[in-house]
Every structure is written in structure tokens, then in C-alpha cells.
Amino acid sequence: MKENKKLLLIDGNSVAFRAFFALHQSLERFVNHNGLHTNAVYGFKTMLDNIIESVNPTHVLVAFDAGRKTFRNEKYADYKGGRAKTPTELSEQFPYVKKLLEAYGMKYYELQNYEADDIIGTLAKQGEEQDFETTIVTGDRDLTQLATEKTTVAVTQKGVTEVERYTPKHVEAKYGLSPAQIIDMKGLVGDNSDNYPGVAKVGEKTAIKLLKQFKSIEGIYENIDELKKSKMKEHLIEDKEIAFMCKDLARIRCDVPLEVELTDTVWNGSEHQKLVEFFQEMDFKRFLEKISAATQDDPAQKIIEDIKFTALTKDNVNQFNFDAEAVEGVSFYLEMMGDNYHTAPLVGFAFNVGTKYFASRDTELLKYPNLRKLLENENIDVDLFDGKRTFVGLNRLGIHLTDIRFDLLLVSYLLDTSDNSNDLGKLAQQHDYTEVLEDEQVYGKGAKIKIPENDAEYYSHLCNKVRTIKKLRTPLMKKLETNKQEELYIKIERPLAIVLAEMEIDGITVDTQRLEEMGSEFKERISEIKQTIYQEAGEKFNLNSPKQLGVILFEKMKLPVIKKTKTGYSTAVSVLEKLRGMAPIIDNILKYRQIAKIQSTYIEGLLKVTFEKDSKVHTRYTQTLTSTGRLSSVDPNLQNIPIRLAEGKKIRQAFIPQKTGWQIFSSDYSQIELRVLAHISHDANMQKAFAEGQDIHANTAMNIFELDSPADVTSNMRRQAKAVNFGIVYGISDYGLAQNIGITRKQAKLFIEKYFKIFPGVKEYMEKIVISAREKGYVETLFKRRRYLPDISSRNYNIRSFAERTAMNTPIQGSAADIIKVAMINMQKMLKEKKLEARMLLQVHDELIFEAPSKEIPILEEVVPQVMDAAVSLDIPLKVESSYGKTWFDAK
DNA sequence: GCTTTCACG
DNA sequence: ACGTACGTGAAAGCC
């Protein structure tokens, strides 16, 4: 049996250097609680993970330089002379790089009088003899001289995670030389950083030319007479000794007397406990999460302090009485089996009062007055995780939750909108609290998901959740305060959760009969179009498969390929539109796609989620997901019901009021994002346009097309100007704009330049927000919602550009989201105060949708715009437009 | 589970 | 030169 022995040799100093300078810009962000810089350790660790994954080594050794002086200094006193001193921020990290290696269970080694290179060279040679497959990782190209058929030299690129792999073939392709000739090249060229000179005036190009001709330095000097008289020849002759000396310096030793053998470098993986401790010492939170996730199938590894709790049953529940005066607050958790809290079985609860914990599987017990009081009494503060979910769940039991104080999920989201885990355990870890397991660890996942039968196991998990809520309240509220986000939480998000819960519980009525009618109509049309397409294609295939469609269009019919995806041909609408007219099949495919989408997503999809008992859909608004602060809507998504195309728009006819004689009423903010932009950018021109009630897109068109009168604006100009306005909001790029409205990039660039000339305040805002994001690491909305943008300093152009556009867009999109949230809270309050029967049912980002008895319509027409207008006071007015009708379709 | 496509603001 | 519009969710195919 032949073993697959894989040896990994790492040049520790060189990689640590690379890591340090790769993350140099973020130096001050990588500081642990003891003030130690950790960027090089971090980079080193990232590199290790990457290389382990790709190499999967059986043996590992990391070599370090032992000191400044080596045998090379005896040969050449100035070797590595004049080198700048290693920055202390880096040198202080070397002991920790070694500690990291210990935690990884990796051998490291250094040897007096030799460099890391020589250790690596020697072991690589031994590896060669013992039939190892070897990978050398370094930041130093000199080591490419070690490349052989069985030894690859991976040289780190700009960062440390990307490497360039030098096999003999790759060396040949890159330099036209063999690995051994690298030594000759170094001899001729010299090395600035190692401070040896080489032959005067000979650089890489010349050296390669010479070596191609003469093979080696020895070869050059044996045949030196063949060279024509030239300056170069003179230099070569003059520096002959230097050349041989430098070659000797450049040659990595492969015969160093080591005290380690390859058998000492066997690698058996990392040591979990050491890793945890080390990451804690370094404050590497993300890595801690990762390793705890990796070991989650072994919950026994995690030792959590036991909580004493009382299991509640029908028989003992009445023994406990909680004096409302004495109860300062209660942390409460309601467990359900499944995501959809409108229907998920209620399978348990737990809470604490003071130091006492209680738990039960029987949620009916909550109806007992002594427990009910804890949740319904206005003098008792309730702390929980996901208030909206809990509110809806309790509502199913007829319990009406009041006075939520702390919502762990919501607060955590506000502190960092990119931390949007829904699992209490995961989320707690992000706040350094680890005394609770993730649901997956206790309940399992997929088909095997189930509540533990063992009471002790189940109840302690529930009680741990309660304790987590209790423990995290004070520190997280403090963080909110530091960020000045208390108002955002208390005035907006917390009350909004209840408003959303009420909207979800109400639901919106669906005319299922209408949907089914439309369904059978579409079904026929789909099968007709399908037949035509099969005929035109000359065969049957699965039209829903882009892969099969691609074969038909681009291979069989030989239509030109416009765009490719990762996996094959793109058949997206933008592509098909370009193919239009080249074959009749294209139009039919477009039509098919359009109708099939309506059928599957909106007709069948909607029918699937309509509740039979009330013929309603009860969406769930995700309040803690988007990174900008918008809501999203699931099960079903009611925020993407068709409207742009006539056929899809008909779906809206199926959304009707719950009672006959009622109406659907809708109000939307007109151009709220551009108004927000006008406000936060303080751009005088844009503000003026809005203050005067101008058509902003026409106004923009006049300006960028340099027209004198609004009458000269054609509809096409307005359309293009509108696209420019949208582009601005998204963080414009000429490419994106060009793509969107089908003009050249040059034209797009001109448009943008003109735009910024007309609206210089906008330009200034865009520049400032990016700089501010770079300095602070985050951007904020009007109401201090925060989004962190770690990528804003990335060295990768694409990643950085994306972060920059995000920096421009998030305050705009996010502030608009803030505003409508305020309006929703005030609106719900208003409906209650005025004792209206009208119900607020849906929110679609800039639009609120109600149902109401006809007689209340005039009231809504007045009140809704008023409330929406007054949600915030900007430098310019907001504008709200309303309409109504007997279905959602008609309310437009 | 991932990819592609397409619906919305 | 690089190669992108911002934010979402659902269905279907495919492995």
C-alpha cells in the first residue's frame, strides 16, 4: 500500500511579513484587549487555513530565521545589511505566531547560523528522497529555485491567501528558465533587500537573455569571448567575482545539519482547546464562532453551567404566585416548532423571576392567571428574543403581551445590521456569551429535527435561552446608548414590531376563485406557447431549464452568445431581448417565461399559502434582516406582487378587502429616496426643484440635455433622466448606467458629469460619505441606523467599489425606510385613536395599503397622507399620493 | 444546497 | 485595466 505523503513547508518569517504588510492599513483595527497588534497573526492564520484546505498535508513544518547573523555574513559581511529594523508592531507578534502554530499542532523550527530558506531546502530535498509531495509556502520568489516535479513553491500574492504556484513548468513559462537557473539569475541581478549587488547594470531581462544562451554563470564566463564588445561585457568581466559570490549567496542550502527529521513533522490537526484559548486571547471572534460551529455536532464538548429550574405542570402551577409589585422584570422565551409562527406548534416556554427559573412543554399553562399576569401586566417589564414572533405566538393563546422592554434579536440587529442570525445561541456568541447552545445542537436539523424527550435536556436549553436574554440586556443596552441608538430602538423598532405583528395577524384576504380562474386561463396559454416553441425548436425539451434552453438556442440554432454565466450560456431577458427578431422562437420564450412566472409564483404559490379558515394570506415581515433597515416579506412575499406588466398586474385583482362594501386604500411616498438625498446632501438645486413641486425627472432631463423649456423634454429624455436619478441613488457608475439605458459608457459618463455639475451638493455628499465610511467604518441613516462597511478599505477594486456604492446608497435607502416606519407607528396609533374600522395591512417600502369600509375612505384620504407627511421634517416637503378601489388592482 | 431567473421598491 | 448598478424572496433545475 502506497501512502500519500504530503509535506507542507512554510517560511514563517516571510509569510508573517507578508501578512503584516497585507493588513497594514487595518493595523489599528487588529488590536486585542491587551493592546497587542494581531494583524500578522490573523493573516498567518488565514493563510494556514487556505493552504491546509488546498494541500491537505500529512506533515507540516514552519521554519523561522534564528537571528540576524548567518553563515552568509561570513562570506559577505554586508549580507542583509542596511535593512530597516522590523517594526515593533510586527516583532511583538512573532511569539504569538508560534503560539498559533502550537494550537494548530504544527512543528516549527529555527537553526542558528542558517536562514529559514535553508531549513526548507534541506527538508524539501529529504522529502524528495522519501517520495513526499511537497508544497513550500513563502513570500520570497528566491525559493522558486527549489521547484521540482514533486515540490511546488507557492508564493503569496499581494495578500496572503492568494498564492502563485511555481512548478518547474511555471518557472519556465514565467522566466524561460529552469528552477536551478533562478540561482544564476540572482547571482547576476543581485538582490536589493538582501543587499548583495550582482553584476552592475544587469537586470532581470538581460540576465534571462544571457542564461538562455549560456545556461549558467559558469557558462557565461567560459564563453565570455563570444560576446560582442559592449558595456555589458565590460561589466561582466569587471564583476566576475561578485557574480560568483552572489550566486553562492543566492543558493539555498539543501544539506544543513538539522535536528529535526521528517518523521518529527507529522501533523495530526489542531488542538481544539488550545485554539479556543488562543483565539480568545487574540480576540478573534469570528474564528471562535467558526470552530464552535464546526464542533456543534458534539454538544458534549461545551460545558454550560447548570441552571436550577422548576418544571411546571397543571398540578403545581397554582403553587406559584408572583407579586406584580415585587417582580422587577421577567425574561421569557416561547418555543415553537418551525419558522412560521402563525402556524408552528407551540412546544414549550421558560421564564425567570428573580433568580428562579421555570419551564414547561405545556403552553396552555400560560393561560393560568398567575403566569398570564407576568406577560400582560403593564407594570412588569418583559425581556425576550424576537418580540414580534412571541407576540403572535401568545396571541394564538389569547394572551396579549404588553410592555416589551428588551428584545435581544432586535437590539442585536440594530447594533450591527449585518449580524442577522436568527438563532439565539449564534447571536449570543457574537456578543461573547457562550453559555447557551444553538437550536441545531439541541434539536438537530433537516428531517431529524425534534424536541428532546428528556425534560432535563430540553428545559435547561430553554432556561439557558432565558438566562442569555437576562444577561445580555444590560451590556447591549449600554452599546445602544454608546451608539446613540436608543431612540431608534425605543421610538421606532420596538413599537414597530407590535404594529407589524398586528398587520400579520390581520392578514389580507385573497379571492381564491379569481386566482383559480386566472390559473386555468394561463394554463391553456402556457401549453399553446409551449407547443409552438417545441415546433420551432424541432424537439421537446424542458423549457424551464436554462441549460437545455441554452443548448437549443446557441448550439442547435446557432444564435450568437451574448453573455455567459458561471455554468454556461445566459438566457436571461436582457440576452433574449438582444436576440429578438433573429428567430420567432425568442418572442415565444419571453412570453412563456412571463406567464410561467405568474402561474408558478403568484397563482400556485399564493394559493399554497392562503389559509383555508379565513381565506387570507398572513405574511411575515422580517424586521431584522436587511442591511439597510428595510423590511422584507416572506411566506408569501407580498412586496413583489406584479405591477409593471399588464398580465401580471391582474394578480392584484385577487387581493380584496375582508368584507363586501369595503375598499382597498393605498398611499405611497412619491420619490422619497430622491427627497431624502436632497435633504442629506443639502444640494440647493435639488432642494429648489422639490420645493417648487417640479417634476424631478423632467427637471433632470432639462439640465443634462441642456434644454431651455420643459416643453422640449421628450418622453425618452425623461426616461433616461429617471435612470440617471436612480443610478445616483444606487451609487452611480458609468458602466451600470450605460447597461441600464442602453447607451455607451462614454455617454453615460458625460451624463454623470453633467449631473454633478448641476447638483454639486450631491457630488460632494457622495465624496464625503465614502471618506466618512472609511474613517468610521460605518455609515448611518437619519435615525442613526448603522451599517458597518469593513470592505471599504479592501485592496480589491471590486470589493472596495461595492462598499463605496453601498456607503452612498445605504443612508438614502435606509433613511427612507426609517421614515415609513415612523409613519406606520403613528398611523396605527391614529387608527386606534379615531376608532376606525380601517386596518393597515401591507407595507411595500414606500407604500402603505389598508382595507376600510367605504364610509371611512374620505377620512383615510385626509389622515393617511397627513400622518405620512408628518413622519419626519426634512428641508423639503414629502409628497404622498393616494388611491383606492375594490381590489388592490383598482387602488392605483 | 447552489445557481439562474425574475418579480418588486 | 479592472468590471459593477442598491435592497429583497420564490421557483425551478441540477447535483
Side-chain angles (χ1 to χ4, degrees):
Chain A
M1 192 180 74
K2 188 173 172 267
E3 289 177 84
N4 210 0
K5 296 184 293 184
K6 288 182 177 172
L7 173 63
L8 176 62
L9 298 170
I10 298 172
D11 182 345
N13 285 73
S14 147
V15 169
F17 253 90
R18 286 295 181 119
F20 178 78
F21 288 107
L23 295 168
H24 194 249
Q25 268 194 309
S26 318
L27 183 61
E28 294 315 315
R29 276 196 280 151
F30 285 95
V31 179
N32 80 346
H33 53 273
N34 293 326
L36 172 82
H37 290 92
T38 58
N39 64 329
V41 179
Y42 185 98
F44 205 105
K45 193 263 175 199
T46 312
M47 177 282 297
L48 274 183
D49 288 347
N50 276 298
I51 205 77
I52 289 168
E53 171 149 8
S54 70
V55 172
N56 196 15
T58 54
H59 296 64
V60 181
L61 182 127
V62 182
F64 287 97
D65 299 336
R68 283 198 93 124
K69 297 273 178 239
T70 66
F71 73 92
R72 287 188 176 84
N73 294 97
E74 287 161 25
K75 295 176 182 282
Y76 180 62
D78 270 351
Y79 182 74
K80 289 201 177 177
R83 229 186 220 197
K85 198 176 170 297
T86 307
T88 49
E89 291 92 341
L90 171 57
S91 52
E92 71 184 16
Q93 294 184 57
F94 275 105
Y96 294 92
V97 170
K98 291 176 180 169
K99 241 177 140 171
L100 171 78
L101 294 171
E102 281 162 21
Y104 266 72
M106 289 177 176
K107 182 105 186 156
Y108 59 84
Y109 183 67
E110 57 189 55
L111 183 61
Q112 284 307 319
N113 218 24
Y114 291 95
E115 294 183 55
D117 299 3
D118 304 308
I119 300 171
I120 289 174
T122 305
L123 285 172
K125 182 155 174 265
Q126 291 177 14
E128 195 88 9
E129 288 156 1
Q130 294 175 37
D131 212 24
F132 275 84
E133 205 177 292
T134 303
T135 304
I136 295 169
V137 183
T138 177
D140 188 346
R141 273 173 211 281
D142 297 2
L143 274 80
T144 54
Q145 63 180 269
L146 299 174
T148 69
E149 287 309 319
K150 281 153 66 187
T151 302
T152 305
V153 182
V155 179
T156 57
Q157 305 274 57
K158 280 175 202 157
V160 275
T161 55
E162 282 171 50
V163 294
E164 188 172 6
R165 293 170 180 279
Y166 286 86
T167 55
K169 265 202 191 110
H170 188 65
V171 174
E172 165 77 33
K174 185 124 180 169
Y175 298 110
L177 302 176
S178 70
Q181 286 177 302
I182 297 287
I183 312 173
D184 295 280
M185 184 175 82
K186 298 294 296 185
L188 290 170
V189 176
D191 188 316
N192 258 334
S193 71
D194 288 347
N195 200 39
Y196 56 89
V199 175
K201 305 284 174 201
V202 172
E204 212 172 283
K205 287 257 166 67
T206 316
I208 291 171
K209 212 175 80 192
L210 288 166
L211 290 169
K212 277 193 176 166
Q213 194 177 348
F214 301 110
K215 305 291 177 230
S216 65
I217 289 189
E218 287 77 4
I220 293 172
Y221 285 103
E222 276 162 27
N223 300 296
I224 191 95
D225 299 334
E226 282 177 32
L227 282 175
K228 276 187 274 174
K229 182 172 174 337
S230 68
K231 271 268 182 277
M232 181 183 80
K233 185 173 175 181
E234 286 169 31
H235 289 308
L236 278 170
I237 294 169
E238 195 162 315
D239 289 344
K240 180 171 177 182
E241 248 177 73
I242 296 178
F244 279 98
M245 179 197 70
C246 290
K247 179 174 175 179
D248 189 40
L249 289 174
R251 188 171 56 81
I252 292 169
R253 298 301 187 265
C254 296
D255 52 1
V256 169
L258 301 179
E259 296 133 326
V260 285
E261 296 175 23
L262 285 176
T263 47
D264 301 330
T265 68
V266 172
W267 186 57
N268 294 316
S270 57
E271 296 182 40
H272 186 265
Q273 197 46 39
K274 276 193 189 171
L275 258 192
V276 170
E277 282 164 22
F278 181 71
F279 289 165
Q280 276 167 351
E281 189 179 0
M282 294 295 106
D283 288 344
F284 289 167
K285 288 175 196 164
R286 286 277 151 78
F287 294 153
L288 272 173
E289 276 165 39
K290 264 198 199 153
I291 51 176
S292 80
T295 54
Q296 69 190 3
D297 46 9
D298 188 6
Q301 273 206 343
K302 199 159 183 180
I303 301 137
I304 294 178
E305 194 199 326
D306 271 344
I307 300 185
K308 285 218 171 63
F309 60 84
T310 306
L312 291 174
T313 62
K314 278 197 186 64
D315 301 322
N316 70 4
V317 64
N318 276 321
Q319 294 168 19
F320 302 96
N321 201 8
F322 307 105
D323 182 1
E325 309 294 312
V327 176
E328 174 262 346
V330 52
S331 297
F332 175 80
Y333 189 85
L334 178 64
E335 191 66 284
M336 303 181 203
M337 252 340 248
D339 289 331
N340 192 339
Y341 46 73
H342 295 295
T343 52
L346 308 174
V347 292
F349 67 90
F351 64 93
N352 86 300
V353 173
T355 55
K356 292 218 162 62
Y357 286 79
F358 301 87
S360 177
R361 293 176 193 267
D362 184 1
T363 54
E364 290 293 313
L365 297 181
L366 291 167
K367 295 178 178 173
Y368 282 72
N370 54 338
L371 300 194
R372 178 187 281 265
K373 179 178 66 182
L374 292 171
L375 301 167
E376 292 190 336
N377 189 311
E378 289 176 10
N379 297 316
I380 300 176
D381 292 321
V382 184
D383 301 327
L384 27 72
F385 177 85
D386 199 344
K388 177 157 68 72
R389 182 184 184 83
T390 313
F391 184 97
V392 175
L394 289 173
N395 182 69
R396 287 164 53 195
L397 294 166
I399 294 166
H400 302 285
L401 185 61
T402 53
D403 279 278
I404 298 176
R405 174 173 55 180
F406 173 66
D407 182 339
L408 174 55
L409 177 67
L410 201 45
V411 169
S412 185
Y413 167 71
L414 294 181
L415 289 173
D416 186 349
T417 49
S418 39
D419 272 356
N420 43 23
S421 167
N422 268 319
D423 182 274
L424 187 147
K426 273 201 188 107
L427 197 142
Q429 279 177 44
Q430 288 165 25
H431 298 287
D432 298 327
Y433 183 87
T434 53
E435 296 289 288
V436 61
L437 295 170
E438 294 168 22
D439 282 342
E440 221 177 88
Q441 296 172 281
V442 183
Y443 304 151
K445 66 172 171 180
K448 286 187 287 184
I449 199 160
K450 83 184 228 296
I451 299 292
E453 279 160 28
N454 178 318
D455 280 352
E457 189 192 347
Y458 181 37
Y459 292 158
S460 28
H461 181 53
L462 294 183
C463 290
N464 282 334
K465 289 192 184 190
V466 169
R467 181 172 57 182
T468 307
I469 295 165
K470 185 172 126 115
K471 295 259 180 179
L472 284 176
R473 178 170 70 92
T474 312
L476 264 54
M477 289 305 290
K478 185 140 260 155
K479 279 191 197 167
L480 271 189
E481 195 185 319
T482 316
N483 291 357
K484 298 202 171 16
Q485 292 181 300
E486 288 160 298
E487 194 178 326
L488 174 64
Y489 173 58
I490 291 167
K491 296 265 177 66
I492 302 183
E493 296 295 343
R494 194 172 68 182
L496 181 72
I498 303 305
V499 172
L500 293 174
E502 290 166 345
M503 292 164 66
E504 294 175 9
I505 291 167
D506 273 338
I508 183 164
T509 310
V510 173
D511 183 346
T512 51
Q513 236 183 325
R514 181 83 193 89
L515 277 185
E516 271 155 13
E517 278 166 30
M518 285 161 58
S520 44
E521 218 177 281
F522 283 134
K523 199 177 153 196
E524 261 176 51
R525 289 190 56 193
I526 286 174
S527 89
E528 278 168 28
I529 300 172
K530 230 178 176 170
Q531 290 314 314
T532 320
I533 292 174
Y534 291 157
Q535 268 176 20
E536 284 163 344
E539 65 180 288
K540 280 194 173 184
F541 63 99
N542 188 344
L543 246 175
N544 289 325
S545 162
K547 198 177 165 190
Q548 294 185 33
L549 180 61
V551 172
I552 297 282
L553 294 182
F554 304 114
E555 287 175 18
K556 187 164 180 188
M557 302 183 67
K558 302 227 182 315
L559 292 168
V561 177
I562 308 280
K563 204 169 94 184
K564 285 206 160 196
T565 65
K566 264 184 256 177
T567 53
Y569 313 109
S570 170
T571 66
V573 169
S574 62
V575 171
L576 296 184
E577 247 152 23
K578 293 200 174 80
L579 298 174
R580 238 185 182 149
M582 300 172 108
I585 196 172
I586 301 295
D587 274 328
N588 287 321
I589 291 166
L590 284 165
K591 199 78 211 170
Y592 171 85
R593 283 255 178 95
Q594 196 194 331
I595 297 175
K597 171 83 178 176
I598 299 170
Q599 183 79 315
S600 65
T601 306
Y602 296 105
I603 293 182
E604 287 164 7
L606 225 38
L607 284 170
K608 253 186 258 172
V609 292
T610 306
F611 287 37
E612 216 159 302
K613 68 170 195 295
D614 58 4
S615 191
K616 284 177 172 183
V617 286
H618 299 267
T619 187
R620 296 183 330 271
Y621 290 101
T622 327
Q623 198 184 351
T624 56
L625 181 140
T626 70
S627 28
T628 55
R630 275 190 175 182
L631 301 174
S632 83
S633 158
V634 291
D635 245 7
N637 180 357
L638 293 179
Q639 292 181 319
N640 72 346
I641 302 300
I643 190 165
R644 289 171 194 170
L645 299 171
E647 292 192 279
K649 191 173 174 182
K650 280 195 184 159
I651 293 293
R652 294 180 173 228
Q653 293 171 341
F655 290 90
I656 57 174
Q658 59 166 315
K659 290 181 186 161
T660 47
W662 284 36
Q663 307 278 333
I664 297 290
F665 179 92
S666 158
S667 291
D668 67 279
Y669 284 113
S670 163
Q671 280 131 16
I672 187 163
E673 292 191 343
L674 281 176
R675 285 170 202 265
V676 166
L677 173 61
H679 175 84
I680 57 182
S681 71
H682 303 110
D683 185 280
N685 253 333
M686 195 180 271
Q687 291 200 354
K688 182 163 168 274
F690 279 122
E692 291 173 357
Q694 294 183 28
D695 174 343
I696 186 72
H697 300 317
N699 178 291
T700 306
M702 261 176 71
N703 281 306
I704 59 179
F705 293 108
E706 295 173 10
L707 310 173
D708 298 323
S709 134
D712 297 339
V713 178
T714 66
S715 69
N716 195 43
M717 288 174 178
R718 188 177 180 280
R719 188 182 64 79
Q720 297 204 345
K722 189 173 171 180
V724 177
N725 278 324
F726 272 107
I728 291 289
V729 168
Y730 294 151
I732 201 152
S733 74
D734 48 11
Y735 182 94
L737 179 64
Q739 184 99 6
N740 191 287
I741 52 176
I743 55 173
T744 67
R745 232 173 108 171
K746 227 177 183 175
Q747 274 176 303
K749 204 174 165 198
L750 262 168
F751 279 178
I752 294 166
E753 276 165 16
K754 276 201 179 143
Y755 191 99
F756 282 143
K757 233 177 231 159
I758 310 154
F759 301 120
V762 173
K763 184 175 188 211
E764 203 178 310
Y765 159 76
M766 296 295 176
E767 287 162 358
K768 276 193 178 157
I769 194 75
V770 169
I771 292 168
S772 157
R774 215 173 284 142
E775 282 167 0
K776 295 187 189 161
Y778 62 88
V779 289
E780 272 177 337
T781 65
L782 275 181
F783 290 85
K784 299 245 178 301
R785 188 185 306 281
R786 188 177 276 214
R787 179 175 186 178
Y788 289 92
L789 297 170
D791 290 343
I792 198 102
S793 307
S794 170
R795 262 88 46 218
N796 179 317
Y797 175 88
N798 281 325
I799 294 174
R800 185 178 62 251
S801 299
F802 185 60
E804 286 170 358
R805 291 196 295 273
T806 312
M808 302 181 218
N809 172 264
T810 295
I812 303 171
Q813 189 182 117
S815 298
D818 293 348
I819 293 169
I820 196 166
K821 283 177 171 180
V822 173
M824 290 169 77
I825 294 159
N826 296 344
M827 200 54 236
Q828 193 76 330
K829 209 168 128 205
M830 187 66 92
L831 292 179
K832 281 181 188 161
E833 274 172 18
K834 293 199 179 278
K835 298 205 162 49
L836 293 173
E837 281 188 88
R839 308 292 305 172
M840 179 162 65
L841 300 181
L842 306 174
Q843 188 252 43
V844 191
H845 309 306
D846 61 358
E847 180 184 15
L848 294 177
I849 293 133
F850 302 79
E851 61 178 3
S854 291
K855 64 172 192 296
E856 289 184 5
I857 293 295
I859 308 174
L860 291 187
E861 282 189 296
E862 194 185 324
V863 171
V864 178
Q866 244 173 39
V867 170
M868 287 172 75
D869 260 334
V872 65
S873 164
L874 303 181
D875 293 347
I876 41 140
L878 289 175
K879 188 176 164 199
V880 178
E881 291 168 341
S882 307
S883 58
Y884 63 92
K886 58 183 195 303
T887 73
W888 192 2
F889 180 92
D890 303 292
K892 254 293 169 189

